[in-house]
Amino acid sequence: MAETRKSTKAITLTALGVVSLLVVGYCSSQNDYEEVGADCVDLDTRLPDGSYLVVDDDYCDEARGSHHAYGWYYGGVRTGARVLKGSTVRPAEARITSRNGHVIQKGGFGGRGGGGS
């Protein structure tokens, strides 16, 4: 009788472990992150309407050593060479891509990508 109880517990624990792994695998494979666009801007040149002047992505390239006056502006509305209504704060758990297609941050929990070409 005691032996049957042990095998039942072992089967139950094994099944619970398998179900847990399946749930974790499924959740991690989901792309439940926000897609955010970013523009490299001159942070020292804020225009009277609150917009920033957009510059080439190379100025914000971390691999090349970004210049202090330049930074990424996330989720803004771009009009010509200006962007506004966004933020300089990097959103968490988002896939961030520059307008030129450079991946700045991959989606998911704390995922970070390189910003370069």
Side-chain angles (χ1 to χ4, degrees):
M1 178 94 167
E3 198 169 302
T4 304
R5 252 185 175 171
K6 284 184 180 180
S7 65
T8 303
K9 285 183 181 180
I11 291 171
T12 303
L13 290 175
T14 302
L16 184 61
V18 169
V19 170
S20 296
L21 285 174
L22 290 173
V23 169
V24 169
Y26 174 78
C27 290
S28 67
S29 70
Q30 298 303 304
N31 292 333
D32 290 340
Y33 50 82
E34 184 180 4
E35 296 275 341
V36 176
D39 292 286
C40 183
V41 298
D42 181 350
L43 295 171
D44 287 343
T45 309
R46 190 161 193 181
L47 302 173
D49 65 356
S51 65
Y52 288 98
L53 183 63
V54 177
V55 296
D56 190 272
D57 285 359
D58 288 341
Y59 287 101
C60 292
D61 188 350
E62 292 173 9
R64 296 183 190 176
S66 65
H67 306 274
H68 294 286
Y70 303 99
W72 292 110
Y73 193 71
Y74 306 101
V77 177
R78 188 167 174 178
T79 305
R82 299 178 309 123
V83 64
L84 71 154
K85 297 184 182 176
S87 174
T88 56
V89 177
R90 181 183 287 207
E93 298 178 25
R95 183 175 197 278
I96 304 170
T97 309
S98 75
R99 308 273 181 188
N100 293 335
H102 297 111
V103 175
I104 299 164
Q105 175 176 297
K106 296 180 181 180
F109 295 104
R112 297 269 169 125
S117 36

